[in-house]
Structures are given as C-alpha cells and as structure tokens.
Amino acid sequence: MLNLLSRPFRGGIHPESYKTLTNGSGIDRFFWPRNVFLSLQLRNGATLTPLVKAGDSVTRGQLIASGRNDMVAPLHAPVNGIVTGITPHFSSHPSKVKCDTIIIRANSDRRWGETHPQQNYLALSSEQIIERVREAGIVGLGGAGFPTVVKLQFARKGGAHTLVINGGECEPYLTCDDVAMQEYAPEIIAGVKLLMIASGTKKAIIGVEDNKPNALAQLTSAASEDDAIEVRAAPSIYPMGSERHLIKFLTGAEVPTGGHAGMVGVLVHNIATARAVYQATRFRRPLVSRVITVSGKGIGAPRNVEVPVGTPVNEVIEYCGGVKESTSRLLFGGPMMGQVISSPYIPIDKTVGGILALTDDEVKTREQTECIRCGQCVRACPMGLMPFQMAAYARLSDFSKTEELGVNHCLSCGACSYVCPASLPLVQYFQFAKGSINANRLKAQRSATARALNEERVQRLEREAAAKAAAKAAKAAARKARPARGKVKETEND
Amino acid sequence: MIDFEPKAGPFAHTSNTSSRIMYTVVLTLLPAALMGIYQFGLASLQTILVCSVIAIVTEYLCLKLMGRAANACMDGSALLTGLLLAMSLPATVPMWLAGFGSAFAIIVGKQIYGGLGQNLFNPAMLARVMLLICFPVEMTNWAVPTPIDFSGNQVAVPQGWLQFDGVTAATPLSGLSHEPVSIVAQFLGLGGGSLGETSALLILLGGAVLLYRRIIHWAIPLSFVLGLCVPAAIASLIAPESFSSPLVQLFSGGAMLGAFYIATDLVTSPTSVRGQLIYGGACGALIWLIRSFGNYPEGVAFAVLIVNAASPLIDHYLRPSVFGSKSMARKS
Ligand code: SF4
Ligand code: SF4
C-alpha cells in the first residue's frame, strides 16, 4: 500500500524484466550483414524515390533514396557494396506486403564512404543543426519512428521550454538504451545539448528507470558540467517509458487527453535519438545503423548488437547463436508492445529496438476464460480507462460505446492484458475497435466530403441557373428597354 | 514451432489465473471453516461438504446442458460459492436444505445470468436470503457452540422465532442480550452464530492474506467497516441502552465475513477504487440500519444484495478519470 501512495502515476504494472539476459555484456560491434534490404515504403505508406539503380556501387553513408517532404526521412546506404536490384521484398510491416526495396550486397569494408572534417558542433546555429538532422534521415528511435526534424521544428514553433529525454526503457528484455547510456554517455549528453539548441528549449531532463544504476551513474557524471541538464532516476514501473507518464513524473505536467506533449511545452526524444543527432551534427554521419537487443530464452546467445539498418532478421539471429527449438514467437521490440515478426526474412528498419525469441514458458499463452470483473485491469491501466467494459462493448461490435469509454486514449500498452487472470486478449479487442472506429470516421469523412461537394455542385448549378435566368431577364429587359429607349430617343428626336 | 501469425500483444503474462484466485480465496477461508467444525461438531462438516459438492455438481450439469466446456466446473468459483453459502448457514441445517440452497445459488444465482462473471447478485447471499424467507424455522435453528473437544454429544437448541442471531447466549445484535458475550470471546469466535462467521480473528487473517496477495483491494473492507462502525459509534454514544457498540457490531454475525469475503466478491462489486469506497460504505451502513431498525437482527445478506444491485450503476458513473482529462478541463 505504501508503494501505492508513492506511485508516480495511477496504474502501471511490474512485469518480470528479464533484463539481466543482456544488460551486463556491452555492445557487440562486430556484426556485419551479407545483404541489406531497404524498403522504399515506410510503415505509414509514404514512399521514397530511389537515387540509385541495379548495378551501382554505393558507399556507406551515401544518399540512396529521398522522400518528398520532411515527413519521409531519406535513406542512406548502411554498407559499402553493390546494388543488386530494386525489387519487391518484405518490409517491416507485419502484414507481409512486399514493396519495392533496394537490395545491396555488402562487402567487408566498414569504412564510411565520405569523411567530413569535425565541427565545433556547439557553435552551430539552430537552423544548421536542424539541417544536419534532416540530411541524416534521423527518426525517433524509441519506436514511433517520427522524423526528428519535424518534431524539432514543431517544438521551435510551439515554444517548447523543456526537453525530456526518454531513457525509461520500461519494456522487459530490452537493454539497448541501457548499454548505450553506459557506453556512450558523453555522446548522448552532447546530443542533448544539440537538441536543446535546435529546439530552443532552455532545460533538459533525462529520465532513466532506477533499475539501470550504471547508466544513471554514467549519465550523471557526463552531465555534471551542465546545469541545464538534469538526470533523474524514475521508479521502474511499466509503462514509465510512455511519453505522457514520463512527462508527468519528471515535470508534473499532465498532457491533456487526446493532446500531445507540445501542449505542455515539452519535447520528448529518445536516448538513442540524441546520440544519432550528435553523430549527424559532429561527423555528418547519417543514421545507418543502430544498437538492438537480441534476447529471449529462445536465443542462443542473447546480447546487444549494433546492426546496419536493413539487415534481415535471420542474419542477426544467426549471428546471435540461432533460435532454440522451444521458441514460439519472434518479436520486434519488447514483449508488451512489440510486433510479431511474420517472416524471418523481414529486414529491420530504423524503429526496431530489439529482436526477441520467446518460448512458451515466457509468453504464458493460456486459454482465455470469462471475465470475472476482478478489476485488475482497471487498476493496472495507466490511462484511467475501464478495459473490461471497453472489451465487452468491443466484443459486441458496439464501437460508439467503446469510443465513449475512451478506447481512443488507449496506449495499447498491454498492462491490462498482462494482469488479466482470465487471459483475455484485451489489447486485441481495442485495436480492432480502434481500427473500426477509424475506418468509420474515414467513411463518414469521405461521405461528408462527397456530400459537401455535391451540395457545392447543386449550389453552383443553382447559382449558374440563377445567373443564367438573371442574364436572360436582363437581356429581355434590355431588349424591352432598347426599343423603349429607342422610342424615347425617337420621341426625343421628335 | 515458431508462430509467425501476427497477433496483438502483449507476449508476456502474469502467472495469475482466475482459478488460482478462486482457490486462494477458498484456502484462506478454511481456517474459519475449521473453527466452525471445531465449535459445532461434525454436523457442520457435513454442511460444508454437501454445499460444496452440490455446487460443483450443479455447475457441471448446467455447463453440460448449455454445451460449454464442462471442466470449467473445477475452476474454483463453484466451490467458493458453495463454501461461502455453508459458512453463512446455521451449523445444523438439514442436509437437503443445504443442498437445495447450494443448487439454487448456482442455477438462479449464477448460470441463469450466463455463467461466470455475468451474475448481478452474489450467488451465496441470494441463496441464503431465499432459504431464510422460505424456510425461516430451519434457518434460525441456531446451535449452541459445543466444541467437539469437550463433549461428544452435540446440543442443538431449536428456537422457533424469526430472529436471526438471537438464539444462543450470544445475541448482542438483537439488543436484548441479558448476558452479553465479551467482545474478546466474539473476536476469537467463541460466541454463537452461523457456521463460519463466528471467528472474526480467523476471517481477519484470511482477509489479510487476500489483501497481501492483491486479490481484493483495501477499498471495500475499509469502507465497509467504516460504514458500519461510524453510525454505530454515533448511535451508541447518543443512546447506549438501545444501540450496541461498534465493536459488537463488527465482530458479531456475518459482518467480518461480509467485509472481507462477501462484499468483495469480484464479480458483483464495482471495479474502480472510488466506486468500491462508495459500495463498501453503503453496504456497511445498510447493515447497521437493518440490524438496528429492521425486522431481522442480521442484515449482511440483504445489504449485500442491495448494493450488488447498485454495483453496475456505480461502475457506470464512477469511472476513474482518464489520464490528462483534468489538465484538459483546466485548459478549456
Ligand atoms: S482483469 Fe480480466 S478478468 Fe479482471 S476485470 Fe479485467 S478483463 Fe475482467
Ligand atoms: S492497453 Fe489501453 S486499456 Fe489496457 S492498460 Fe494500456 S492504456 Fe489501458
């Protein structure tokens, strides 16, 4: 009960962490892929235009595809090698759709293609930093994959005052941010300074869960010279890494329901993103690789490994000792919010923070029973929702009621499903409901647009008809008036 | 075998299950049940067995009839219903009555609503009230506690009147007791009463385990006890001769069992903390009202049924506030 009172926010759970599988051994930097697959379509459907063709040889860091606007981050070659083709291949999307993909056969040369002189990066202006971030194709590495440049510009325009750096990493198993903080603390702090300059924020708070004491110590010492950067330990409670909840804990501000962090003057970036910004600004190195956690009891030799973007899952897993017989699920990301890997040939993209091979023992799939209204889910939900009620309505396909209960505010964090003693697939119901609500809204929007267009057309026709009629009447009047006038004239003339 | 089929997460889960919850509750009830057997003799053991077995058998038949997976009858919920009913019956009820009540609890109290998790009323309390109304004589046939250690022959004193707890020497609830049992004796369970309701101490211990294991939440027991004791304290301060003291109220009859095991029934209680506070408080206060002003000296079962009926309403109106809704209200 005591820890109930001292909770940083309502709800939340303490899932088994399994972090010790990988948090002690540092980053493995020796992996190198044979082929990389760079999808030209992002998860949200936006496409990129390739700047290379089959047979071209490319160098590491070379720009190979660009997007239409800032919402689509450009792609760079993560390895030196030869483009073997631009053909349809699996993307990271779980639906296994194939989209056009640049395939590069890598050679063993790991050097960057072009080296730039180092910069006195702290002397750069906000615009210059933003430009570098744009060039480097940096996206949020915490999972959402939103282009960093867009976030920075929003924050500048919106007058954000606080930069929150998310080192929560509350998902079980994942330790890639943890080890990055331990090994790259100075780079991260430099990146934080750059982000502050770029976004115009005056203060930065780095929140790290207190189950990472080494990372906390490293960051604290690296940040000790700068008064504007504060490193804070946050209690380990899932989902501490959720943007809203971290902001609430660190600044006390509550992001309004349905709103975003900018509304309370906060900009949130991930630890790994901060480091990427440093690399991009100081060395002009684009984002072409990232540290991921390869873990789970199904993995032969769990570890954190730096992998070039576009490496297919099977190559990484092979490198980490392969999977064991008992593996029942492969996942991108953590077990709470991660996504099923639907084929071992799927390449990792910039947003993937981990590959997990979980055994049945860990997943604990059980037969679903009836809801006993125990209220565990209600007390676990960090958003203050009533999961069992929403699920009941979603099951009945009563989506308006589900929406009324707030399903759109659901983070899909999975805390409710995790604690449910009846093993109900609550999140699945909510995603289904959200999907249907969205589809309905789109339909409504479309028919509203159609209706508006139609109305407009009717009005236009009416207007035209009226104009025509008016013109006709005017003409008729003119016709009538002319002889009259003529008469008048005549009479005048008379 | 790796399953590549996409599915929504999470891919981790507690090892807690509904069944485990039910059996934990049953286990924590056992000390109080054993105390009942010790006090009232083998007849009470019989009552407990009959209620439990009939509950499970009835559940099995219902599930079969409805074409559902019949092994769900062993999920512990039917057993718990049977046990709770037995605990709230006088020790010496006839076997047929106990069995009938137990079957009624499962059929009318639970399966008619659609089975586990769907029922509006606490099945055990529904059955108890039904029995009390239909068979008032048998249901108020209170046994004098005759611990089996000391005498082999059990004495049951039949009493014909309609009062609930007012039979043996321990009738503090009716306000007529000539020779009040000490509160300590009541707390330890040496007074009279229903089979499993006598020892407040053992029930308290069981409840503590449930709280510790987070199976029940503190909100209901706390507000229940306050709802019962606060009015009792005020009334007994004003008119000590006609109202019993809060401690007597708390440790007699089914109050403790109600606070920790019956009002907290997962299915029929509200889920949000705010809702639970109101629910528990209302339940406690109703018990006091029924005991003090109603025709029945005991009111736990009635009070629980009444607040059960309000529980969906409470859940509907007292939802937790959505994260960020306050700051949104401030903004606008
Ligand atoms: S945790 Fe599961 S069983 Fe309990 S109320 Fe929620 S949905 Fe129902
Ligand atoms: S998945 Fe949604 S409903 Fe469930 S706990 Fe998380 S926010 Fe609440």
Side-chain angles (χ1 to χ4, degrees):
Chain A
M1 244 181 281
L2 262 180
N3 68 5
L4 254 182
L5 297 179
S6 64
R7 280 190 168 185
F9 51 83
R10 194 182 42 212
I13 55 171
H14 297 97
E16 200 171 333
S17 90
Y18 294 104
K19 293 206 191 245
T20 46
L21 282 173
T22 51
N23 66 359
S25 50
I27 300 172
D28 180 334
R29 295 183 188 77
F30 301 106
F31 170 76
W32 203 243
R34 297 186 292 273
N35 292 290
V36 291
F37 301 81
L38 298 150
S39 168
L40 289 172
Q41 188 171 353
L42 302 186
R43 292 191 193 201
N44 59 16
T47 52
L48 292 110
T49 319
L51 306 174
V52 291
K53 54 184 191 311
D56 285 0
S57 71
V58 291
T59 56
R60 187 175 183 206
Q62 178 186 338
L63 182 68
I64 55 169
S66 60
R68 206 169 338 122
N69 53 28
D70 278 350
M71 284 304 290
V72 188
L75 274 179
H76 303 81
V79 291
N80 296 304
I82 292 172
V83 178
T84 56
I86 302 181
T87 49
H89 185 84
F90 296 125
S91 72
S92 312
H93 199 277
S95 64
K96 286 219 258 188
V97 281
K98 294 195 172 183
C99 32
D100 280 345
T101 300
I102 300 179
I103 304 172
I104 303 174
R105 181 157 8 92
N107 59 33
S108 57
D109 184 3
R110 300 188 177 198
R111 280 171 306 176
W112 290 90
E114 214 179 322
T115 43
H116 296 272
Q118 286 192 19
Q119 298 272 341
N120 176 7
Y121 57 97
L122 288 178
L124 293 175
S125 72
S126 163
E127 286 73 27
Q128 283 168 312
I129 299 173
I130 290 184
E131 188 48 40
R132 297 267 159 94
V133 168
R134 175 185 292 128
E135 276 173 11
I138 299 178
V139 299
L141 297 178
F146 199 78
T148 304
V149 56
V150 180
K151 259 180 142 176
L152 285 172
Q153 282 167 335
F154 268 145
R156 255 199 106 70
K157 270 200 215 105
H161 47 74
T162 306
L163 173 66
V164 161
I165 297 293
N166 190 344
E169 200 170 52
C170 54
E171 279 266 12
Y173 297 94
L174 299 191
T175 56
C176 53
D177 286 351
D178 184 3
V179 292
M181 288 185 271
Q182 294 181 39
E183 300 196 10
Y184 300 128
E187 293 187 25
I188 291 169
I189 297 297
V192 171
K193 282 183 196 156
L194 290 167
L195 282 170
M196 284 169 72
I197 300 173
S199 62
T201 42
K202 294 278 161 297
K203 184 168 89 176
I205 313 177
I206 307 180
V208 180
E209 274 197 351
D210 57 12
N211 57 3
K212 310 178 194 25
N214 292 339
L216 270 168
Q218 294 292 339
L219 280 182
T220 311
S221 81
S224 57
E225 286 179 12
D226 200 322
D227 288 339
I229 303 179
E230 188 188 344
V231 179
R232 291 259 302 274
S236 307
I237 173 172
Y238 181 86
M240 189 42 112
S242 142
E243 208 170 279
R244 291 157 192 277
H245 296 91
L246 191 66
I247 292 175
K248 165 111 202 238
F249 173 74
L250 293 177
T251 70
E254 228 174 72
V255 178
T257 321
H260 53 84
M263 291 167 126
V264 288
V266 176
L267 168 69
V268 183
H269 280 295
N270 170 270
I271 287 282
T273 311
R275 172 164 182 258
V277 167
Y278 167 78
Q279 292 275 341
T281 316
R282 179 146 193 207
F283 306 106
R284 289 196 139 173
R285 284 182 190 157
L287 178 64
V288 292
S289 69
R290 61 167 302 162
V291 180
I292 67 170
T293 304
V294 185
S295 185
K297 288 191 182 159
I299 288 283
R303 70 186 77 174
N304 282 293
V305 43
E306 182 170 349
V307 293
V309 172
T311 307
V313 167
N314 62 335
E315 284 199 33
V316 182
I317 287 183
E318 199 183 298
Y319 181 75
C320 296
V323 291
K324 296 180 192 152
E325 285 269 313
S326 51
T327 305
S328 66
R329 278 287 184 190
L330 291 180
L331 301 180
F332 276 146
M336 299 299 295
M337 296 184 70
Q339 161 204 317
V340 173
I341 296 177
S342 47
S343 152
Y345 304 108
I346 285 185
I348 66 151
D349 66 10
K350 292 176 184 173
T351 61
V352 169
I355 296 177
L356 301 184
L358 301 183
T359 60
D360 254 338
D361 186 36
E362 294 161 282
V363 179
K364 298 206 183 86
T365 329
R366 270 189 315 253
E367 213 180 309
Q368 144 187 10
T369 55
E370 293 299 320
C371 169
I372 52 170
R373 295 176 38 98
C374 64
Q376 301 273 4
C377 53
V378 179
R379 292 195 285 275
C381 179
M383 288 305 287
L385 304 173
M386 298 271 257
F388 77 97
Q389 277 190 346
M390 296 197 301
Y393 285 114
R395 247 164 141 176
L396 298 174
S397 299
D398 185 347
F399 298 125
S400 59
K401 194 79 189 155
T402 322
E403 193 175 1
E404 198 187 308
L405 287 168
V407 75
N408 286 334
H409 307 311
C410 166
L411 307 168
S412 294
C413 71
C416 51
S417 304
Y418 181 89
V419 295
C420 177
S423 299
L424 292 181
L426 296 165
V427 176
Q428 197 174 315
Y429 292 139
F430 304 153
Q431 290 190 340
F432 177 59
K434 280 188 239 175
S436 308
I437 291 168
N438 254 339
N440 283 345
R441 182 173 306 138
L442 270 182
K443 228 195 307 178
Q445 240 167 32
R446 231 173 266 145
S447 64
T449 331
R451 209 178 314 123
L453 282 176
N454 191 36
E455 252 163 43
E456 215 166 81
R457 181 167 161 269
V458 168
Q459 276 174 3
R460 183 166 47 93
L461 290 181
E462 270 170 13
R463 256 200 322 272
E464 281 173 11
K468 241 183 226 164
K472 225 179 191 172
K475 242 184 214 162
R479 242 197 324 266
K480 239 186 256 161
R482 214 176 293 139
R485 224 173 14 239
K487 266 177 209 155
V488 174
K489 273 185 190 160
E490 273 165 29
T491 45
E492 262 174 22
N493 282 350
D494 279 352
Chain B
M1 260 306 291
I2 301 178
D3 184 357
F4 287 110
E5 206 44 54
K7 181 185 155 242
F11 299 92
H13 204 270
T14 60
S15 37
N16 198 13
T17 64
S18 307
S19 217
R20 192 190 277 194
I21 291 180
M22 299 294 173
Y23 281 113
T24 313
V25 179
V26 168
L27 271 181
T28 60
L29 263 178
L30 283 185
L34 289 176
M35 181 71 181
I37 297 171
Y38 164 75
Q39 271 184 298
F40 299 111
L42 286 176
S44 45
L45 180 62
Q46 211 174 33
T47 308
I48 292 176
L49 287 180
V50 167
C51 282
S52 309
V53 171
I54 295 282
I56 294 174
V57 170
T58 316
E59 175 108 334
Y60 176 81
L61 293 177
C62 286
L63 290 170
K64 267 268 151 148
L65 270 179
M66 294 192 294
R68 298 206 181 160
N71 58 356
C73 73
M74 291 311 292
D75 67 3
S77 64
L79 175 63
L80 180 59
T81 299
L83 184 59
L84 275 176
L85 175 65
M87 305 269 292
S88 65
L89 293 178
T92 54
V93 285
M95 288 236 292
W96 60 268
L97 198 100
F100 176 65
S102 184
F104 180 89
I106 295 295
I107 298 173
V108 179
K110 179 173 171 193
Q111 294 296 348
I112 276 188
Y113 289 93
L116 181 62
Q118 306 294 319
N119 46 304
L120 180 58
F121 297 108
N122 185 323
M125 288 304 103
L126 200 67
R128 185 191 184 185
V129 165
M130 181 279 294
L131 291 177
L132 185 65
I133 293 171
C134 299
F135 308 97
V137 180
E138 288 85 350
M139 282 296 286
T140 45
N141 211 353
W142 300 103
V144 169
T146 50
I148 30 183
D149 275 14
F150 304 121
S151 62
N153 49 339
Q154 293 128 44
V155 191
V157 184
Q159 303 276 339
W161 73 74
L162 239 168
Q163 282 184 339
F164 207 51
D165 270 353
V167 178
T168 59
T171 58
L173 279 180
S174 61
L176 299 168
S177 53
H178 306 294
E179 190 193 328
V181 176
S182 82
I183 289 196
V184 176
Q186 273 194 3
F187 183 67
L188 295 176
L190 304 175
S194 295
L195 201 169
E197 295 178 342
T198 54
S199 174
L201 175 67
L202 292 178
I203 289 172
L204 199 63
L205 284 179
V209 174
L210 294 187
L211 281 173
Y212 176 73
R213 299 291 307 271
R214 301 253 173 111
I215 288 173
I216 60 174
H217 195 251
W218 52 265
I220 291 183
L222 182 74
S223 57
F224 183 109
V225 168
L226 288 180
L228 177 62
C229 290
V230 170
I234 296 172
S236 69
L237 273 182
I238 296 171
E241 61 290 344
S242 44
F243 292 99
S244 42
S245 80
L247 283 183
V248 171
Q249 290 279 1
L250 196 56
F251 295 139
S252 56
M256 284 309 259
L257 193 70
F260 286 99
Y261 285 91
I262 293 171
T264 55
D265 172 40
L266 300 174
V267 175
T268 55
S269 60
T271 48
S272 70
V273 176
R274 278 195 291 172
Q276 291 190 341
L277 287 173
I278 297 212
Y279 169 92
C283 191
L286 272 173
I287 291 173
W288 180 78
L289 282 175
I290 297 175
R291 280 178 175 180
S292 309
F293 303 106
N295 281 333
Y296 293 97
E298 174 58 308
V300 173
F302 292 105
V304 166
L305 291 186
I306 293 170
V307 288
N308 277 173
S311 163
L313 215 63
I314 295 178
D315 250 354
H316 187 265
Y317 285 107
L318 285 179
R319 293 190 202 132
S321 59
V322 176
F323 184 97
S325 55
K326 272 180 222 134
S327 66
M328 192 161 65
R330 255 203 310 278
K331 273 250 159 77
S332 56

